[in-house]
Amino acid sequence: MSALEHIIYWLADFMWGSWMTVLIFGTGLYLSIRFRFSYITKIKFHFKNTIGKMFSKSEEGEGTISGFAAACTGLANTIGTGNVAGVASAIVTGGPGAVFWMWVSGLLGVSTKACEIILGQRYRVKYENSMDEYVCDRSFVMKNGFGWKKGAFVLAAFCFLFGPWTCAVQTEAVASSMKEAFQIPPLFTVIVVGVTCFAVMFGGLRRIANVTEKVVPIMAFIYVLAGIGIIALNLDKLPGTVALIFKSAFTPMAGIGGFAGATVRDAIRYGVARGIYSNDAGTGYGIIAHAAARTDHPVRQSSWGWGEIFLDTIVVCTITAVSILITDSYIDYGDITSAQLTTVAFKVAYGNAGGWIMGITISLLAWTTIIGMYYSCAKSVNYVFGDTKANKIANNVYIVYYMVPCLLFYNVEADLLWAFTDILSAVYILITLFFIYSKRKMIFSLFDDFWKRFLPALQRGEKPEKVSFETLEKK
């Protein structure tokens, strides 16, 4: 195992070397400039079309679920243990400066996420026989956008075989946090997570969407409120904490207490990697989550890219980071990492009650992420089996395979699980960025159509033709 672990760590470091950072930042900057920074500056529009429509009943266009429900399915992926365990891991290995680079990756990643959503809407497929659902993932884009059927099949097989293994970090986070908070045996926690996740996943997209659109907003609100409480209790330390984040982003930080120290390269590497895992910008998950959404134009749905990253990275990740830094938990408890460190930070602030809050919160975060990730991986199964009766059977069988890594590898070292997750994330990013660059003319054309024709016509009181795509899958 030591040789295998060495290979995994080495490959993760290589995949997230300087070249990956340049590629991600460069792509985000290029797209932001081409979109005239509209996904960053047009805050009023994006707020109105995302958070402002959370409870709206009016729906436009063709699709399976509402835009909000689709976003919550996506947020089930993004707002998860990456916001708690991932941020803690980034600080322990990259130092406080990693938080700054998480912010940067988020701001630039908004445009990248928007492109994914547009791709998902453009190349989605309607399954009428087996699911009565709009579906899309990287494989559907490869087939319908490029005509590469064999390559799409190989990609789908890769995704549904290896995708579930990234979820081991979720159950590890739940098990370690519940043990820290309530002294509950990890095996018992994992069994409960497995049974309840299975019950929801077995119900398909509509049950998943129904659960996530109720649970995700509530758990995010509770977590943010508790984090703001920690800041309020340590308000005098806030200016110094913010200054430390910015300083450490550009200056190596020496070891102190239990913290071993970190270079600027460490800050960038782990900040970007954990930021990408948390908000999913560039990984292709946006293609999957938003393909089923009802909307009158793909670019309107792409506003949810802004909504997801704003809530995920700018709000929730920041709350986690400041809670850990402002309580000095990463210094005083340097031998602890992942979700357990965030739990300790809340215990420092609130006593045992803080541990209870985090135990419950992390469990909900990981629970919804496991469910959201299943939906993403299952789309690859849908591609392989097509719109047939076999697809419905394969979906149910796949749930069992999907849960195996979650249930069996929760006690593996957290850093090793994160390294393996980094490798898969890097592969997904390379594939997704290839799609975006190759189909940039189509993406830019839809973007310009929305802002120059469709939206102005609506504002004039006209009824422009809706822009909706649908490919009926043939047996």
Side-chain angles (χ1 to χ4, degrees), residues 56-181:
S56 174
K57 298 298 182 182
S58 61
E59 308 191 278
E60 300 286 344
E62 299 296 325
T64 309
I65 56 178
S66 69
F68 172 57
C72 284
T73 303
L75 282 168
N77 273 354
T78 57
I79 298 185
T81 56
N83 303 88
V84 179
V87 173
S89 175
I91 292 173
V92 168
T93 49
V99 180
F100 172 84
W101 295 109
M102 290 183 75
W103 292 337
V104 174
S105 71
L107 289 174
L108 294 179
V110 172
S111 295
T112 309
K113 174 67 78 73
C115 289
E116 295 179 50
I117 295 172
I118 293 172
L119 284 171
Q121 283 277 319
R122 173 62 183 85
Y123 295 110
R124 66 184 185 174
V125 167
K126 177 69 180 296
Y127 272 22
E128 292 190 324
N129 300 313
S130 60
M131 301 167 61
D132 187 27
E133 182 182 321
Y134 284 83
V135 297
C136 191
D137 76 342
R138 307 170 192 90
S139 303
F140 287 97
V141 175
M142 185 172 285
K143 173 191 172 185
N144 298 328
F146 298 87
W148 301 344
K149 293 183 179 180
K150 292 182 179 179
F153 185 91
V154 172
L155 177 58
F158 176 87
C159 290
F160 75 65
L161 286 174
F162 292 101
W165 295 81
T166 65
C167 275
V169 298
Q170 308 296 331
T171 45
E172 183 279 329
V174 176
S176 64
S177 182
M178 292 298 281
K179 183 180 180 180
E180 177 70 31

Side-chain angles (χ1 to χ4, degrees), residues 244-325:
L244 179 64
I245 291 173
F246 281 90
K247 180 182 177 182
S248 302
F250 303 96
T251 307
M253 184 174 177
I256 178 174
F259 176 62
T263 65
V264 174
R265 182 183 180 280
D266 290 332
I268 297 173
R269 180 254 193 267
Y270 290 103
V272 174
R274 299 293 176 265
I276 292 296
Y277 178 77
S278 177
N279 60 46
D280 282 339
T283 60
Y285 289 119
I287 295 173
I288 304 165
H290 294 269
R294 287 189 290 268
T295 183
D296 57 4
H297 199 291
V299 176
R300 187 188 298 280
Q301 185 63 24
S302 72
S303 280
W304 280 105
W306 174 89
E308 288 178 18
I309 290 181
F310 173 78
L311 185 58
D312 175 274
T313 305
I314 306 304
V315 177
V316 181
C317 284
T318 299
I319 287 293
T320 300
V322 173
S323 298
I324 291 172
L325 296 175

Side-chain angles (χ1 to χ4, degrees), residues 330-398:
Y330 74 110
I331 295 174
D332 298 335
Y333 301 90
D335 58 332
I336 297 176
T337 186
S338 192
Q340 189 176 4
L341 178 60
T342 309
T343 303
V344 167
F346 272 67
K347 288 179 73 173
V348 170
Y350 295 120
N352 288 333
W356 302 338
I357 292 172
M358 283 306 303
I360 295 171
T361 301
I362 291 174
S363 296
L364 288 174
L365 288 168
W367 187 74
T368 56
T369 299
I370 291 170
I371 293 170
M373 283 291 291
Y374 160 74
Y375 174 73
S376 299
C377 294
K379 297 308 102 180
S380 296
V381 176
N382 299 155
Y383 177 84
V384 169
F385 287 90
D387 191 15
T388 64
K389 292 182 179 179
N391 176 51
K392 193 170 185 179
I393 297 172
N395 256 335
N396 295 334
V397 173
Y398 183 67

